[in-house]
Amino acid sequence: MNGDDFSLLSVIIAVLGGAIRVGTPFIFVSLGECLTEKSGRINLGLEGNLVMGAMAGYAISYLSGSPWLGVLVAGLSGAALGLLHAYLCQQPRVNDIAVGIALMILGTGLAFYMGKSFIQPQAPRLGSFSLGSWSDIPALRAALEINVLFIVGIILTPAMAWFFKYSRWGLIVRTVGESTDAALASGFNINAVRMLSTMAGGFLAGVGGSFLSLYYPGSWNEGLSSGQGLMAVALVIFARWNPVNCFYASLLFGGAAALGPALQSVGVTSGYYLFNAAPYVLTLAIMVSTSSNNRVLTGIPGDLVNPGR
Amino acid sequence: MKTTEKHYTLTRRSLLKGMGSVSLLGLFGSRMRYANAGSKVNMGFIYVGPRDDFGYNQAHFEGKSGVASQAWVNAFDQESVPETVEVQKAMESMINLDGAQVLFPTSFGYFDPHILKIAKKYPEIMFLHCGGLWDEKKHPKNVGSYFGYIDEPVYVAGVVAGLMSKTNKLGFIAAIPIPQVLKNINCFTMGARSVNPDITTNVIFTGGWANPVKEAEAANSMVDQGVDVLTCHVDSPKVIVETAEKRGVYSCGYHTNQLPLAPKGFLTGAEWNWTNVYTDYAKMIKNDELIPNLVRGGLKEGIVKSSPYGSAVTPAAKKAADAAREKFKTGNFTAFVGPIKDNTGKVVIPEGKSYPQRDLWLESMDWLVEGVIGSTKS
């Protein structure tokens, strides 16, 4: 094996590891947003849920000694923010985008305020198990250290796809999202469906946040998320509101985030600002290449285009 | 992102409104100041981030707490103040409401235009900024700069790293390629190569002062490449030191003492010792002495220090590091003695030429020393 092959292999392994490690929070937030948007509402505030979840998860893990309890509370804190979003949005003449932005600021601000005393201490983190023990390349073994939440993400993705396609509840969510008229005619309680969808979406985003603080990078501080919740919301659009695509897109973003550091570590030292911007360049590239004049935003829930009321 | 700060300033502002006109309060404030001046020294500190970040801001907070332990000092602070007009409001409220006689706005970006603007408005207040930006020709007399040569303890940490590494590969995770950061990378590498010429230092620039995900990714990919000692120059080294510990490699700290974060793999680190600086300033104010506009120093002056050794450090490495530190403490040692080549092979300091620590040429450093794998070009 000569040096160049080894470098290329290292970069590939690092990107694979990054896809799994960095991509997991994206999976949860984008699946959550996918569910909310399918019901006909946009929750731009998931960045707030993510940061709140990260803080709550870390704090509870530190106070109780149980990281899994932390994950649960992180999810519940996200669901609470989702409840607030849904409640505000069902008031007359309230814009869900504006409420989302307000809740993003509220969620991060509240998390910073309550999280002050948890920046210093070290909380117990989530463990991982090794899928790479068959390999004798240490880098590959490190990349295949898998956290249970990633497995949960793998299971959740097809489950959500199935939910939308075949389950009665999934069809109700889609009906409410596609056409409020049809939903009303069928006798569904639109506000209740949207509230539950937003709460469930918020729960998932909160769990995604707890992955950040309790596993990778595994620490609570105010710069932890650096906009990942917002990116995940954008990711749903280019995944075309399809849970399986959300999963792949999340891995792609995770891998792209790992590209910059990986290239520098093997000695490719020029252009690191460009490589660090890889996820954003990727978003633009995919957006441009998938857009078309004759089929605008395929897959968007109908009520997001023409709000029924 | 900045909600909490906005919230605080808003309450302060509404407090002002509630208590009457702003100008009246200013009058009240200045009277308070003179009333206090005889008994206590009032010092205000402003940080750009949280004061318990295991990093830059915590170092200043520890300095503030250190000086506040003097009975004749009244020290107060505000954290997470962005480098915007917010810091002007924070400074004014410390002057008018808390009666500050001297202000320490610690972040680099506070200086121009914020400190300069407020300093003109309050000529009787002293504004001391952490960094080297004060210029006698351009800036008001009631402004000053203080800074420490932290590259000296970084060099000492390099000595320890050079002797502890088994793979001869060190890793340096840096935010952005500015002179201060490059000087630390070079000194770390030169320290290591002074005891082990086979050392190379791999550098990863993350592109920002606080990006925990990228820092963790950088740490992991360097460990994957065989790096077995990690250090950094970012705002909070916590994630990097913890990741190193998790991956079973050594780490050297920065800004504050991170030994508690990595009891197995922590070697040593470079820390600020602001308590010394702030106490000196406080004494000058108490004795009504003239405050110098520029304060600089390294290990000799006690402005910077080394973190305690971790349990893994061998006696031989401790001995070599102690010796290097003693050399710095004499005040005439410099690492920048020619011939020194940069990492592209160009001679940057010719044979026979040397630059003492206080030479201003070193403060415009834009090259990486031989042995560093990395590039300053973006």
Side-chain angles (χ1 to χ4, degrees), chain B residues 231-350:
Chain B
T231 191
C232 62
H233 186 166
V234 296
D235 265 359
S236 171
K238 190 180 181 205
V239 163
I240 292 165
V241 171
E242 285 180 337
T243 307
E245 183 82 345
K246 217 188 288 176
R247 294 293 304 266
V249 301
Y250 295 129
S251 54
C252 293
Y254 193 65
H255 287 315
T256 56
N257 179 15
Q258 284 101 28
L259 176 60
L261 295 176
K264 276 188 280 180
F266 187 82
L267 298 178
T268 181
E271 293 178 37
W272 304 101
N273 192 14
W274 295 127
T275 303
N276 260 5
V277 182
Y278 293 150
T279 309
D280 285 349
Y281 278 129
K283 279 182 190 150
M284 287 178 216
I285 295 170
K286 190 182 174 213
N287 303 333
D288 215 15
E289 290 168 31
L290 198 66
I291 294 177
N293 292 93
L294 276 179
V295 169
R296 275 166 209 217
L299 286 165
K300 181 176 171 235
E301 291 80 4
I303 295 182
V304 292
K305 61 184 177 187
S306 291
S307 304
Y309 295 117
S311 56
V313 182
T314 58
K318 277 185 198 169
K319 208 176 142 210
D322 288 342
R325 193 162 37 244
E326 286 315 309
K327 278 197 286 183
F328 279 114
K329 280 190 175 163
T330 63
N332 0 320
F333 177 73
T334 172
F336 297 96
V337 182
I340 290 181
K341 282 192 216 157
D342 72 7
N343 66 351
T344 63
K346 201 179 103 203
V347 177
V348 278
I349 302 179

Side-chain angles (χ1 to χ4, degrees), chain A residues 105 119-120 122 216 264, chain B residues 3 58 205 217 238 242:
Chain A
I105 296 171
I119 298 175
Q120 283 269 327
Q122 285 183 295
Y216 193 82
Q264 284 191 70
Chain B
T3 358
Q58 183 177 332
F205 292 105
E217 244 348 275
K238 190 180 181 205
E242 285 180 337

Side-chain angles (χ1 to χ4, degrees), chain B residues 163-182:
Chain B
L163 289 173
M164 295 300 295
S165 173
K166 294 183 187 73
T167 60
N168 293 335
K169 286 180 173 179
L170 313 182
F172 199 114
I173 297 167
I176 42 180
I178 59 169
Q180 255 186 48
V181 174
L182 299 178

Side-chain angles (χ1 to χ4, degrees), chain A:
Chain A
M1 195 184 273
N2 70 35
D4 282 349
D5 282 350
F6 184 66
S7 298
L8 184 64
L9 186 68
S10 320
V11 172
I12 293 172
I13 291 174
V15 168
L16 170 76
I20 295 170
R21 291 185 297 237
V22 185
T24 305
F26 287 128
I27 297 174
F28 280 89
V29 181
S30 62
L31 286 180
E33 181 66 15
C34 188
L35 176 59
T36 307
E37 291 194 15
K38 279 279 191 192
S39 78
R41 259 206 200 121
I42 294 178
N43 183 358
L44 276 190
L46 289 190
E47 170 80 7
N49 297 40
L50 185 82
V51 175
M52 192 67 188
M55 190 285 295
Y58 198 76
I60 295 301
S61 169
Y62 173 67
L63 295 175
S64 73
S66 159
W68 286 107
L69 189 64
V71 174
L72 180 69
V73 174
L76 292 177
S77 73
L81 282 173
L83 174 70
L84 189 58
H85 183 274
Y87 173 76
L88 291 175
C89 286
Q90 70 191 41
Q91 307 308 311
R93 289 183 295 284
V94 169
N95 179 297
D96 52 353
I97 307 258
V99 171
I101 292 172
L103 284 187
M104 173 167 73
I105 296 171
L106 175 76
T108 49
L110 214 55
F112 290 178
Y113 176 71
M114 300 202 291
K116 275 281 168 257
S117 49
F118 300 104
I119 298 175
Q120 283 269 327
Q122 285 183 295
R125 322 289 156 84
L126 296 171
S128 61
F129 51 89
S130 317
L131 292 185
S133 44
W134 49 271
S135 164
D136 50 4
I137 305 172
L140 191 60
R141 276 209 295 267
L144 291 178
E145 285 287 311
I146 306 287
N147 179 266
V148 179
L149 284 178
F150 179 70
I151 309 285
V152 173
I154 292 183
I155 298 168
L156 197 61
T157 304
M160 190 178 279
W162 178 87
F163 170 81
F164 285 137
K165 200 159 184 195
Y166 297 111
S167 78
R168 179 179 153 75
W169 283 35
L171 289 172
I172 294 176
V173 170
R174 273 171 57 201
T175 310
V176 169
E178 288 295 339
S179 160
T180 36
D181 291 342
L184 281 173
S186 316
F188 300 141
N189 183 339
I190 293 172
N191 279 337
V193 170
R194 288 186 175 163
M195 181 173 277
L196 288 175
S197 302
T198 314
M199 284 174 70
F203 185 92
L204 290 179
V207 171
S210 72
F211 180 89
L212 282 177
S213 62
L214 290 176
Y215 183 67
Y216 193 82
S219 172
W220 159 248
N221 65 58
E222 298 180 359
L224 185 61
S225 145
S226 48
Q228 290 182 62
L230 277 172
M231 273 164 70
V233 172
L235 208 141
V236 176
I237 299 171
F238 94 59
R240 294 281 178 262
W241 296 270
N242 176 339
V244 179
N245 287 350
C246 284
F247 179 80
Y248 291 133
S250 301
L251 292 188
L252 201 63
F253 265 65
L259 186 63
L263 283 174
Q264 284 191 70
S265 75
V266 299
V268 180
T269 53
S270 52
Y272 46 83
Y273 280 113
L274 186 65
F275 292 124
N276 281 345
Y280 314 101
V281 176
L282 193 72
T283 318
L284 275 177
I286 294 181
M287 287 295 215
V288 170
S289 68
T290 55
S291 62
S292 141
N293 282 338
N294 42 28
R295 42 171 189 89
V296 183
L297 288 179
T298 29
I300 184 170
D303 208 56
L304 292 182
V305 190
N306 300 307
R309 42 178 209 155

Side-chain angles (χ1 to χ4, degrees), chain B residues 111-127:
Chain B
F111 191 74
D112 192 4
H114 310 297
I115 290 180
L116 296 177
K117 194 173 160 199
I118 302 297
K120 279 194 196 106
K121 203 168 157 189
Y122 298 93
E124 74 279 23
I125 308 286
M126 195 74 199
F127 296 79

Side-chain angles (χ1 to χ4, degrees), chain B residues 32-52:
Chain B
M32 286 269 293
R33 182 163 65 251
Y34 291 122
N36 275 340
S39 51
K40 277 197 169 189
V41 177
N42 289 318
M43 309 171 87
F45 296 82
I46 302 171
Y47 325 117
V48 73
R51 59 186 161 216
D52 39 14

Side-chain angles (χ1 to χ4, degrees), chain B residues 146-205:
Chain B
Y146 59 98
F147 205 66
Y149 298 118
I150 198 164
D151 46 282
E152 295 179 357
V154 167
Y155 182 98
V156 174
V159 170
V160 178
L163 289 173
M164 295 300 295
S165 173
K166 294 183 187 73
T167 60
N168 293 335
K169 286 180 173 179
L170 313 182
F172 199 114
I173 297 167
I176 42 180
I178 59 169
Q180 255 186 48
V181 174
L182 299 178
K183 201 176 174 201
N184 280 341
I185 298 171
N186 289 342
C187 284
F188 187 70
T189 309
M190 288 193 285
R193 284 167 72 95
S194 71
V195 291
N196 179 355
D198 295 331
I199 287 286
T200 56
T201 305
N202 208 324
V203 176
I204 291 185
F205 292 105

